[in-house]
């Protein structure tokens, strides 16, 4: 495939990590922890629900976190550029950087790795705190609050789990969880790093990648957005000519089946 994109200057993209960005990440971590603890307290103070409902709420929260990781990843990989107001430097820059230097993430400290996802977890945490009122909460309110707590907590792990998918030296327990496909497996994620980067967007567990692909979820969304706005998916990441070429072909005809791709360590 003749992509017109030259490798971007990875150093320039990395240099876009500014002090204000770090302040935002620290605030996100601080705020998300407080909000999750507050939501947990409200749930504990409410009428209890059965273990079955708790398990179901946790499962829904986990799946919602995996879906969120895929949706956000797809959005920032596919649309906009580093020059897009607010999210350009704050978020899109990190996704562009990761495609040109996928190992850079392994050198990021805890704050740089996880700040974004903690900040994102503020949203379900805040909704949960506003939703669950211990004095009047119904069983459904508590169930919904638990699902939101599950989403908030698992979502905070997304970037750490993604980082482990790129890390050579990782704890034994992490390898076991990866091998059991409970969290994102390096081989499964390596498929995403093949140009044009349009498979396996989910990077928390990876459980939803196959079902979303089976229903052409992201392809359909891209076609709708292009039809409505005229925007070309991945125009900034691949270069406009290559992006037009990629968008014109169904994924199945362009990429090798996942089973034929090498599985990473
Ligand atoms: Zn990507
Ligand atoms: Zn990656």
């Amino acid at each position: 495939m003749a992509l017109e994109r030259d490798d971007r200057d990875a150093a320039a993209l990395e240099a876009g990590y500014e002090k204000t960005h770090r302040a935002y990440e620290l605030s996100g971590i601080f705020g998300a922890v407080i909000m999750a603890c507050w939501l947990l307290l409200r749930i504990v103070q409410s009428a209890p629900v059965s273990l079955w409902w708790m398990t179901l709420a946790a499962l829904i929260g986990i799946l919602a976190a995996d879906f969120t990781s895929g949706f956000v990843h797809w959005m920032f990989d596919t649309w906009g550029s580093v020059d897009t107001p607010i999210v350009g430097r704050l978020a899109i820059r990190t996704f562009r950087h990761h495609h040109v230097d996928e190992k850079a993430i392994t050198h990021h400290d805890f704050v740089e790795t996880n700040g974004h996802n903690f900040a994102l977890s503020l949203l379900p945490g805040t909704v949960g705190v506003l939703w669950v009122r211990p004095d009047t909460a119904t069983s459904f309110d508590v169930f919904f609050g638990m699902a939101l707590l599950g989403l908030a907590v698992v979502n905070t792990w997304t970037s750490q789990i993604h980082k482990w998918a790129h890390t050579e030296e990782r704890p034994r327990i992490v390898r076991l969880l990866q091998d059991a496909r409970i969290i994102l497996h390096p081989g499964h994620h390596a498929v995403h790093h093949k140009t044009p980067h349009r498979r396996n967007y989910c990077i928390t567990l990876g459980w939803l990648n196959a079902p979303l692909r089976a229903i052409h979820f992201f392809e359909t969304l891209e076609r709708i957005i292009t039809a409505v706005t005229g925007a070309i998916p991945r125009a900034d990441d691949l270069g406009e000519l290559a992006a037009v070429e990629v968008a014109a072909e169904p994924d199945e005809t362009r990429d090798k089946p996942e089973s034929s791709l090498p599985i990473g360590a």
Side-chain angles (χ1 to χ4, degrees):
M1 171 172 41
L3 290 177
E4 70 177 23
R5 179 189 76 175
D6 289 323
D7 274 353
R8 286 159 186 269
D9 184 349
L13 285 165
E14 188 157 36
Y17 184 60
E18 297 161 345
K19 280 183 181 170
T20 49
H21 191 154
R22 193 161 180 93
Y24 142 78
E25 289 171 339
L26 284 165
S27 310
I29 292 170
F30 190 63
V33 169
I34 287 178
M35 209 53 84
C37 290
W38 192 359
L39 175 54
L40 178 62
L41 193 65
R42 290 203 159 209
I43 289 170
V44 169
Q45 289 172 337
S46 303
V49 294
S50 73
L51 188 63
W52 287 109
W53 286 113
M54 281 174 65
T55 308
L56 183 61
L59 183 64
I60 290 172
I62 289 168
L63 290 175
D66 201 32
F67 177 80
T68 302
S69 76
F71 190 82
V72 171
H73 183 180
W74 164 78
M75 211 167 57
F76 289 138
D77 265 10
T78 309
W79 310 105
S81 74
V82 175
D83 298 321
T84 300
I86 303 174
V87 293
R89 298 194 74 76
L90 213 55
I92 294 172
R93 176 191 64 81
T94 62
F95 287 85
R96 298 290 181 276
H97 183 215
H98 187 56
H99 283 182
V100 295
D101 184 1
E102 64 181 84
K103 286 291 183 189
I105 189 175
T106 63
H107 305 300
H108 293 171
D109 65 8
F110 179 85
V111 174
E112 189 173 359
T113 300
N114 298 297
H116 258 313
N117 283 91
F118 272 83
L120 191 59
S121 283
L122 261 173
L123 190 61
T126 305
V127 172
V129 166
L130 293 173
W131 190 278
V132 180
R133 308 265 175 182
D135 294 343
T136 57
T138 64
S139 295
F140 174 77
D141 293 337
V142 179
F143 172 79
F144 186 54
M146 285 178 172
L148 287 170
L149 183 62
L151 165 59
V153 171
V154 177
N155 179 65
T156 60
W157 283 89
T158 293
S159 291
Q160 185 61 54
I161 290 172
H162 177 208
K163 179 179 176 177
W164 279 327
H166 287 282
T167 307
E168 301 297 332
E169 297 292 328
R170 48 201 190 274
R172 185 172 157 73
I173 180 69
V174 171
R175 283 185 182 272
L176 288 172
L177 290 171
Q178 288 174 336
D179 291 344
R181 308 280 169 155
I182 292 171
I183 61 173
L184 185 68
H185 188 274
H188 180 79
H189 181 56
V191 174
H192 177 74
H193 280 280
K194 297 234 167 229
T195 305
H197 312 286
R198 68 171 179 176
R199 280 194 181 187
N200 294 5
Y201 289 107
C202 299
I203 51 173
T204 309
L205 314 171
W207 297 359
L208 290 180
N209 283 321
L212 290 175
R213 185 170 153 73
I215 63 171
H216 305 283
F217 182 79
F218 291 115
E219 274 185 277
T220 305
L221 271 186
E222 287 169 18
R223 292 211 175 104
I224 293 169
I225 290 170
T226 299
V228 173
T229 68
I232 301 162
R234 288 168 288 271
D236 178 66
D237 193 33
L238 303 178
E240 196 162 321
L241 283 178
V244 168
E245 188 187 331
V246 167
E249 287 187 34
D251 190 10
E252 286 73 10
T253 62
R254 172 170 289 277
D255 300 326
K256 293 177 184 172
E258 188 175 324
S259 58
S260 71
L261 292 165
I263 299 298

